[in-house]
Amino acid sequence: MQTESTPSLAGREYEVEVGPVAHGGHCVARTETGQVLFVRHALPGERVVARVTDGEEGARFLRADAVRVLTASKDRVEPPCPFSGPGRCGGCDWQHAAPGAQRRLKAAVVTEQLARLAGLTPEQAGWDGTVVPAPGDKVAKGEVPAWRTRVQYAVDPEGRAGLRKHRSHEVEVVDRCLIAAPGVSELGVEARAWPQIASVEAIAATGSGDRQVILTPRPGGRLPIVELDRPVSVQRIGERDKAVHRVHGRPFVRERADDRTWRVGDGGFWQVHPKAPELLVEAVMRGLMPRKGETALDLYCGVGLFAGALAERVGERGAVLGIESGKRAVEDARHNLQDLERVRIEYGKVEQVMPATGITEADLIVLDPPRAGAGRDTVAHLASLGARRIAYVACDPAALARDLGYFADGGYRPIRLQAFDLFPFTHHVECVAILEPADKTA
């Protein structure tokens, strides 16, 4: 709690030299007194005027925005999006950086996290140190790939759709999101009024052409009559139990990946970049090299993407167990993989279900945990199963690095790591690490 002895420094400005990039979409700088500033809208090597947005005297660090650039980096560009900048939309962290520079910034973050949390150099992690764009995303300065197939819009009190400002509940009203995929933009969410609605999720499935709109009403609000220019599934999220209630259309979309169709229900998890599922399946399968007759685990399995890919490759003599904590995702996974008799999907948290299965060994393991990672206890359990290879899919380099450290304690080392820029113009980066027992002979 703020007191008279610790006044807020919000609004105070400092002229600073910008240091290295840090995890989270900002760079590190220091005031004349040595206090750390995490500065957004800046680039390493620049000299800027940074205005504090959050923090107080004596705090371990302050958050700030670069409101004036005194000496610009050669990697700086004019942000293509008119809603980007200090105090504006918080969705894209690197609108002011050239596309190639964005990937170098992400590579620097992955390198730093591996060193600090896992004690690994890129070479020790089996990584060439690059972040690779998805096919079709390598664009020139001033261009923006429209890649996001799922966009969560917030709605302001006047019923206007927009996106949240950084670390804020305030809504930046927009008339177009540049990174939204064409199928999302075609729904015209930004052009409509949404009275009594708190949020609108717009989904454009890849391959099937399915569209879905999920509406969350404000407390006491009612679902409006929704008429769109094209057929679309419109859903409502109930106020009490947060369950999604069907209004009209299918309560799911169909996605295509790895030569299969995947049902994804009620806004459930699916990679938001259209090329991500194929890229990640390819990276995981190439790293694991599944063999006929092997047993495999797919943990945090979602709607069964990796479980299905594994099952096709281990064949009828193999077996795959998937574990997922989302009830609807489990239903979808069982539906998606019903033709594969050697696949079983269990509902529950990995750390609770795994001990209850009685499984003491497995040949292959895939884990794609949430942003927080798997954690020490789960990693220790997995390391005890003696898998020939493990594939770790990570959307957060800090969580990945921490868990790689835990895997090292359990006798596993990374032999290959790939980093993909599946979230252009944001600070997010997707990694796939392949591990094997550290004592395995080359």
Side-chain angles (χ1 to χ4, degrees), residues 144-159:
V144 180
W147 56 270
R148 194 172 185 93
T149 59
R150 294 165 180 247
V151 177
Q152 181 82 39
Y153 295 92
V155 180
D156 74 0
E158 286 72 47

Side-chain angles (χ1 to χ4, degrees), residues 115-195:
R116 185 168 64 87
L117 298 175
L120 295 171
T121 64
E123 293 77 13
Q124 291 170 328
W127 179 42
D128 65 5
T130 64
V131 174
V132 181
D137 277 1
K138 196 168 184 179
V139 296
K141 287 184 180 182
E143 296 180 356
V144 180
W147 56 270
R148 194 172 185 93
T149 59
R150 294 165 180 247
V151 177
Q152 181 82 39
Y153 295 92
V155 180
D156 74 0
E158 286 72 47
R160 300 173 299 177
L163 301 165
R164 299 284 186 191
K165 297 181 180 181
H166 181 61
R167 293 176 58 84
S168 172
H169 292 292
E170 290 186 46
V171 178
E172 176 76 25
V173 177
V174 303
D175 56 24
R176 182 189 173 197
C177 175
L178 292 185
I179 64 172
V184 170
S185 298
E186 289 167 5
L187 291 172
V189 172
E190 304 96 331
R192 296 180 55 89
W194 300 97

Side-chain angles (χ1 to χ4, degrees), residues 184-433:
V184 170
S185 298
E186 289 167 5
L187 291 172
V189 172
E190 304 96 331
R192 296 180 55 89
W194 300 97
Q196 303 188 66
I197 296 298
S199 68
V200 180
E201 183 175 6
I203 300 169
T206 302
S208 68
D210 287 352
R211 303 290 185 267
Q212 188 178 52
V213 174
I214 298 177
L215 307 178
T216 304
R218 296 184 183 278
R222 295 183 179 181
L223 186 74
I225 296 174
V226 179
E227 296 180 359
L228 297 170
D229 294 336
R230 58 180 300 164
V232 63
S233 175
V234 181
Q235 316 292 323
R236 166 186 170 159
I237 297 182
E239 295 174 33
R240 293 186 178 180
D241 59 6
K242 298 303 181 184
V244 177
H245 302 288
R246 184 175 176 185
V247 178
H248 67 77
R250 282 188 297 264
F252 59 84
V253 294
R254 296 162 300 177
E255 300 280 1
R256 286 289 299 175
D258 199 39
D259 294 325
R260 296 179 71 89
T261 296
W262 305 87
R263 187 180 82 182
V264 184
D266 300 338
F269 175 78
W270 186 259
Q271 290 285 342
V272 295
H273 195 294
K275 301 295 178 61
E278 293 283 0
L279 274 178
L280 296 177
V281 166
E282 180 185 2
V284 168
M285 295 304 119
R286 187 169 63 246
L288 293 180
M289 297 186 296
R291 302 166 183 167
K292 297 294 184 182
E294 288 191 312
T295 59
L297 302 176
D298 180 10
L299 309 180
Y300 317 92
C301 72
V303 300
L305 177 63
F306 296 120
L310 286 164
E312 295 282 5
R313 291 157 176 82
V314 301
E316 296 180 356
R317 292 185 295 110
V320 180
L321 171 65
I323 300 176
E324 168 58 41
S325 63
K327 184 173 292 186
R328 180 55 198 262
V330 168
E331 294 173 1
D332 287 336
R334 289 171 177 168
H335 170 85
N336 293 333
L337 305 176
Q338 59 186 315
D339 61 312
L340 301 172
E341 295 182 358
R342 299 290 287 167
V343 177
R344 188 169 96 248
I345 306 295
E346 294 290 343
Y347 166 64
K349 296 182 178 180
V350 169
E351 62 270 24
Q352 296 172 351
V353 175
M354 273 302 302
T357 64
I359 292 174
T360 58
E361 59 182 20
D363 296 307
L364 303 171
I365 299 173
V366 179
L367 65 157
D368 185 3
R371 195 168 301 280
R376 185 188 299 273
D377 292 344
T378 296
V379 168
H381 189 156
L382 299 182
S384 73
L385 301 180
R388 175 173 65 81
R389 283 197 172 180
I390 297 172
Y392 190 127
V393 182
C395 61
D396 185 275
L400 171 64
R402 280 193 298 269
D403 284 349
L404 288 181
Y406 300 148
F407 271 114
D409 295 339
Y412 278 80
R413 65 183 179 93
I415 59 169
R416 179 186 303 165
L417 188 146
Q418 292 175 276
F420 300 102
D421 190 14
L422 301 182
F423 311 91
F425 289 84
T426 79
H427 74 269
H428 300 290
V429 59
E430 193 86 6
C431 296
V432 176

Side-chain angles (χ1 to χ4, degrees), residues 32-48:
E32 292 180 351
T33 61
Q35 191 164 27
V36 172
L37 289 175
F38 287 149
V39 186
R40 285 174 59 82
H41 310 289
L43 293 172
E46 293 186 326
R47 187 162 188 84
V48 304

Side-chain angles (χ1 to χ4, degrees), residues 146 380 434:
I434 306 298

